[in-house]
Amino acid sequence: MAENKKSFLLYCDLIHTISIMPNEKAGELFKHILEYVNDKNPITDDLLIQLTFEPIKQSLKRDLIKYENIRERN
């Protein structure tokens, strides 16, 4: 993520995905997200985590581009 950036957005509609996951897998996904936004470059062999994380990752990347553009403008 961006240097010195201390927050990120998770969108409310993610609940539709998370609510059908077992709690253990939802926790693994949340940890995976936190590792990603803290530049830990997480890797998993768990297909469920890979499949659910990919759209989240793409959303985080899009939001980061928007953030960088606003930061430059300001």
Side-chain angles (χ1 to χ4, degrees):
M1 300 305 297
E3 191 172 320
N4 296 320
K5 190 168 187 277
K6 302 293 182 196
S7 62
F8 67 98
L9 291 173
L10 276 181
Y11 293 95
C12 294
D13 60 356
L14 184 59
I15 194 166
H16 300 292
T17 302
I18 300 299
S19 65
I20 59 174
M21 295 175 76
N23 288 340
E24 183 178 315
K25 292 295 179 185
E28 288 177 37
L29 176 62
F30 187 62
K31 285 183 176 182
H32 197 83
I33 292 167
L34 290 175
E35 288 175 1
Y36 178 77
V37 298
N38 283 287
D39 296 322
K40 304 291 184 191
N41 301 317
I43 298 172
T44 183
D45 293 331
D46 188 316
L47 184 59
L48 180 59
I49 301 301
Q50 289 175 12
L51 291 172
T52 53
F53 177 66
E54 190 58 34
I56 297 167
K57 179 179 172 181
Q58 297 307 315
S59 175
L60 290 167
K61 286 182 177 185
R62 281 190 301 275
D63 289 347
L64 181 59
I65 291 168
K66 290 177 192 175
Y67 167 81
E68 293 293 345
N69 289 337
I70 291 170
R71 199 172 124 197
E72 279 181 27
R73 186 182 68 213
N74 293 342

